[in-house]
Structure formats: C-alpha cells, structure tokens
C-alpha cells in the first residue's frame, strides 16, 4: 500500500509560523524583524502546487520538500497544514473536483433555451479547465492511489458534475434514451478534460472556441443503438499465449494500470504469470525494464495500427477513422494499457523518456496529419478522440461488444472530422 495512507482525511490546519517577506517571498532571515504574516490563501496555494506536481510527474516521485520549496516555505511549515503527502493528494483531488463542479454550476442557467444553456455550460467548464490545465488531470490518472473511502467521496462530486451536464443535454434531447444522454455527457466532459493530457499550445480564445465546437460535434453525433443488457455468463474470448515473457509483460501492464508502478511488485507480477520472483529476472532485468517494455510494446501497437489503416484507406478521412477503430479495439482488449502509457513516464529511466515521448508524439502527428484544417487544432481533436476511448470506455466498463465499440467509434469520428463526420 502507499506509505502514509492511514491518514485518509485532510489534516486540520494548525497555526503556523511561515511568513511573507516584504519582497513577496516566503520566510524570514535572522536580520529581519517585525510581525510575521502568512498569506491568507497559503493552504490553497500549497494544494494547487501539489496538484500540479502530482499531475505532471505522478504521486510517488514527488516529495513534500519539493512542494514546500515551490511554495516558498520549509517542509516543517507545510506539515503544519497537512500531516503527510497522502493528505495533500486527497486535498488536491478534492479541491479540483469541487472547483470544477462550482465552475459548471456557475455557468449553468436552466432558464435559458437548451442550445444557449449548453453552450454557456461548455464554455464555463472549458475556461476553468484551461486555467488549471497543468493540474487538471490529477484525478483522472492518480485516483488509483486514493483510499476507497476518499475516492468514493470525491466520486460523488464528479457524479454531480456529470448529472449537471446530462440535465442540460436532456433539455436538448428530451425524448432521447437516457443511456445516450449519459454517454454524451461523459463524452463531452472527456473532450474538455483531454487538454490536460498534453501541452499543445493554442490561445485561450481559440481553444475555448475549438472545445465548444468539438462538444457540439459530440452532441450532434448519431449514436448507434446501445447493446442489450448481458444475461447469463459473458462469452470469454481469447486464448493465453505460451511465451512466459509475453505473459509477464501482459500481467505487468495490467497490474501497473490498476495499481500504479510503485504499488506493483515483481513478486505480484511473477505470481500472476505463474512463476516466482527470481524467475522473472530471467526475462526482465528489473521492474523498470518491464515498464520500458510495456511502453515500447504499446507504442509499437499504435504505430502498426496506424500503418495498417493507412495501407487500407481510400482517403485521408477514412484512414483517420480506421486508426480510431483500431485504437479503441486495442484499448478495450486491455483497458489498463492507456493509464500506463500516459501516466507512468516519470518512472522510466531518463534515457528512455525522451525517445518514447518522441514515439508518442509521432503517433499523434501521424493521425492529426490526416485531418483537414489547422494542424494545431487537429492535434487537439486527436487527443479528444483518444480521451473518448479512455473515459467513455470507463463509463461502460470497457464492455467490448460490437455495439459499444460502434458507439465509441461514432463519437471518435465526430470528434476527429467534425461537420464532415457523415461523409
């Protein structure tokens, strides 16, 4: 388990002695005198710095002293606000969820007609998300490190956010199947949140307009029918591979995705593949070697899918949609693969990070190059399409029946092609 998780609740704020210097920096020197003052928003400042660090580098690699230094206080001064790093994670996730919900509610006006109501709601959520872009993806990737009770409490806030968006969509489509309304709400929030997963630059005005356009593309998507509820035992597909190396790699991806790299152990990975820990080292030199192999394997799969789609396509837009279909099938077959691929970079050896980041970027650029219009905006559309697989997939528990894959593909097509999606 994660160290210090026993402190699941936020720490109480105690009076502290960290101060603000006349030059605006925190702390005092021996030569300074006079009353010490601390900023009124010190606790919120600490939480936001922590959220940014956890979102960008992951929960485990970030130290409390690093957060304190970024804020401009000492480690002991930070502990006067929060008992441990886990309390900081809870506070950051909770503050992010609540402020996002507050932004949505402040932008929502049920008295408006459905279209202007939805447009105002989308723009309000988008503007807030742009403002917190660097830390906005914290809960999406790092929630696996939250204790169950904390995750459940924060999930209530996100459920209220989702319901707020779904209620506005229901006003636009009052006769729609509730499952379609819920799916569109998840897809819309996913498209907005996708900007936190990359650093492609665009002015705030253009980005808000683009997000609004993408969200309306989602709202206008003609969704295929949802599958019937499963009755009886589900049909199991797929046979296990014989290669022990492949088994280890598959199990490592699953365990890294569910628990995070630092929570996984070689013993656990080996047991899942049916061997002991010492035998794992016959195939992989270390846990870091396993993680690097997982990144390489995923990058290869994406690149192969791109190449196959290009070879089969009859047009650029057809190729973009074929890539989307392959990407969704790959992810639904192993849902843990994307949390590993997008959130464990800081745990790779430094020599691997630059090379694998280049592979990721090239795969996105290959996809974006198939889209018409501005290429920077095209990259935002590709990331929003990827987000549909992750977030809508989670919503439907990665149920890989053909009907569900068709619904995800329809959303991805609309996100990628916009008004040309029907062509």
């Amino acid at each position: 388990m994660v160290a210090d998780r026993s402190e699941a609740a936020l720490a109480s704020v105690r009076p502290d002695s960290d101060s603000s210097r006349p030059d605006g920096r925190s702390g005092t020197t021996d030569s300074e005198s006079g009353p010490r003052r601390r900023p009124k928003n010190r606790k919120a400042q600490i939480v936001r710095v922590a959220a940014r660090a956890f979102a960008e580098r992951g929960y485990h690699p970030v130290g409390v002293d690093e957060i304190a230094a970024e804020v401009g206080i000492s480690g002991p001064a930070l502990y006067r606000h929060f008992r441990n790093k886990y309390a900081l994670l809870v506070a950051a996730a909770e503050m992010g969820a609540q402020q996002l919900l507050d932004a949505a509610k402040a932008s929502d006006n049920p008295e408006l007609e459905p279209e202007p109501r939805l447009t105002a709601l989308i723009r309000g959520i988008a503007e807030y998300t742009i403002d917190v872009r660097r830390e906005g993806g914290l809960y999406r990737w790092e929630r696996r490190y939250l204790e169950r009770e904390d995750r459940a409490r924060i999930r209530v806030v996100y459920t209220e956010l989702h319901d707020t968006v779904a209620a506005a969509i229901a006003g636009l489509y009052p006769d729609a199947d509730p499952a379609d309304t819920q799916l569109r709400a998840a897809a819309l929030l996913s498209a907005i949140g996708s900007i936190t997963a990359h650093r492609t630059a665009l002015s705030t005005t253009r980005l808000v307009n683009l997000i609004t356009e993408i969200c309306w593309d989602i709202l206008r998507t003609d969704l295929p029918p949802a599958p019937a509820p499963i009755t009886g035992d589900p049909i199991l597909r797929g046979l296990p591979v014989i290669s022990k190396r492949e088994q280890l790699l598959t199990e490592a991806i699953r365990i890294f995705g569910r628990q995070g790299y630092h929570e996984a152990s070689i013993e656990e990975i080996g047991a899942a593949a049916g061997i002991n820990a010492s035998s794992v080292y016959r195939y992989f030199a270390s846990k870091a070697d396993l993680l690097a192999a997982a990144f390489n394997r995923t990058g290869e799969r994406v690149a192969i899918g791109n190449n196959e789609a290009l070879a089969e396509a009859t047009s650029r837009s057809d190729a973009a949609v074929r890539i989307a279909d392959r990407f969704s099938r790959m992810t639904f077959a192993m849902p843990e693969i994307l949390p590993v691929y997008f959130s464990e970079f800081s745990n790779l050896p430094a020599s691997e990070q630059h090379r694998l980041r280049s592979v990721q970027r090239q795969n996105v650029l290959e996809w974006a190059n198939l889209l018409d219009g501005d290429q920077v905006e095209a990259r935002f559309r590709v990331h929003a399409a990827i987000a549909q697989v992750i977030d809508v997939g989670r919503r439907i528990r990665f149920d890989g029946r053909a009907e569900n894959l068709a619904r995800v593909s329809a959303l991805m097509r609309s996100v990628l092609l916009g008004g040309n999606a029907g062509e």
Side-chain angles (χ1 to χ4, degrees):
M1 297 295 291
V2 174
D4 295 336
R5 278 191 176 183
S6 59
E7 301 293 345
L10 301 184
S12 300
V13 180
R14 302 177 188 173
D16 67 6
S17 60
D18 61 291
S19 61
S20 295
R21 294 173 48 156
D23 60 2
R25 292 180 292 159
S26 298
T28 60
T29 67
D30 293 339
S31 62
E32 291 174 338
S33 60
R36 293 181 174 182
R37 299 177 182 177
R38 69 174 189 271
K40 293 181 180 179
N41 67 340
R42 173 70 82 201
K43 188 171 183 179
Q45 184 185 15
I46 294 170
V47 171
R48 185 159 187 184
V49 168
R52 183 173 298 171
F54 294 152
E56 291 185 336
R57 295 172 48 210
Y59 172 65
H60 276 283
V62 176
V64 169
D65 287 342
E66 297 174 62
I67 296 169
E70 178 75 15
V71 175
I73 60 176
S74 66
L78 187 149
Y79 283 119
R80 294 187 184 104
H81 292 284
F82 299 97
R83 293 178 188 169
N84 51 41
K85 189 169 78 167
Y86 179 70
L88 262 175
L89 176 65
V90 175
E94 200 158 36
M95 184 182 78
Q98 188 59 56
Q99 289 185 347
L100 183 58
L101 175 61
D102 292 344
K105 287 190 167 182
S107 305
D108 186 30
N109 182 358
E111 301 299 319
L112 293 176
E113 290 297 313
E115 289 198 18
R117 177 188 179 185
L118 270 166
T119 296
L121 181 57
I122 291 166
R123 294 181 74 87
I125 298 173
E127 287 167 358
Y128 172 78
T129 303
I130 291 168
D131 186 52
V132 298
R133 186 177 178 185
R134 289 179 62 187
E135 62 262 32
L138 171 64
Y139 184 77
R140 189 184 197 194
W141 301 120
E142 301 302 304
R143 62 184 172 190
R144 56 193 164 176
Y145 294 123
L146 291 167
E147 289 284 3
R148 180 173 297 183
E149 60 270 25
D150 295 317
R151 192 164 59 245
R153 186 180 66 258
I154 295 168
R155 191 183 299 121
V156 169
V157 181
Y158 281 108
T159 298
E160 187 174 353
L161 170 67
H162 183 277
D163 290 345
T164 299
V165 174
I169 296 172
L172 184 69
Y173 298 116
D175 300 323
D177 185 329
D180 287 359
T181 300
Q182 295 293 322
L183 197 72
R184 290 183 203 276
L188 188 151
L189 288 168
S190 176
I192 298 173
S194 69
I195 67 168
T196 66
H198 62 103
R199 294 292 170 262
T200 306
L202 202 61
S203 71
T204 297
T205 299
R206 283 184 65 191
L207 184 50
V208 170
N209 290 339
L210 177 61
I211 291 172
T212 303
E213 183 179 327
I214 291 172
C215 287
W216 274 104
D217 292 333
I218 288 169
L219 290 169
R220 297 186 179 109
T221 301
D222 186 11
L223 287 172
I230 295 176
T231 57
D233 295 331
I235 298 173
L236 299 178
R237 293 184 173 86
L239 297 175
V241 296
I242 297 175
S243 166
K244 192 59 67 176
R245 187 181 191 280
E246 289 300 314
Q247 290 179 23
L248 284 167
L249 185 54
T250 297
E251 296 303 331
I253 290 171
R254 286 174 175 158
I255 292 169
F256 292 156
R258 288 196 305 266
Q259 301 169 202
Y261 174 78
H262 285 273
E263 291 290 272
S265 68
I266 288 291
E267 290 78 9
E268 186 177 10
I269 294 167
I275 62 176
N276 59 35
S278 61
S279 297
V280 174
Y281 295 110
R282 297 177 188 172
Y283 304 94
F284 296 95
S286 64
K287 191 170 72 167
D289 190 33
L290 259 171
L291 181 63
F295 270 90
N296 280 300
R297 175 58 52 83
T298 305
E300 289 167 1
R301 287 178 177 174
V302 173
I304 289 169
N306 288 357
N307 291 337
E308 290 176 346
L310 289 168
E312 296 170 1
T314 57
S315 67
R316 292 166 66 244
S317 61
D318 180 46
V321 172
R322 287 176 182 272
I323 290 174
D325 290 343
R326 281 173 167 78
F327 193 89
S328 59
R329 288 200 302 271
M330 178 192 77
T331 306
F332 273 61
M334 185 179 285
E336 300 86 1
I337 202 166
L338 289 188
V340 174
Y341 195 52
F342 285 103
S343 65
E344 298 289 2
F345 255 89
S346 61
N347 296 309
L348 286 168
S351 60
E352 290 286 303
Q353 289 188 27
H354 178 72
R355 185 183 66 82
L356 289 170
R357 182 67 77 188
S358 296
V359 171
Q360 278 190 352
R361 187 176 294 110
Q362 184 57 44
N363 285 333
V364 169
L365 290 174
E366 187 81 58
W367 201 350
N369 187 56
L370 299 169
L371 307 182
D372 293 333
D374 182 87
Q375 281 300 291
V376 175
E377 293 188 0
R379 286 157 64 187
F380 277 92
R381 284 189 175 272
V382 167
H383 282 287
I386 291 171
Q388 301 303 299
V389 182
I390 299 169
D391 300 319
V392 175
R394 281 174 171 167
R395 182 85 189 173
I396 59 179
R397 300 181 182 276
F398 292 100
D399 178 349
R401 285 180 287 170
E403 296 91 341
N404 280 326
L405 286 170
R407 287 161 73 80
V408 172
S409 292
L411 290 167
M412 294 179 77
R413 174 191 288 265
S414 292
V415 168
L416 291 167
L417 304 181
N420 299 318
E423 297 179 2

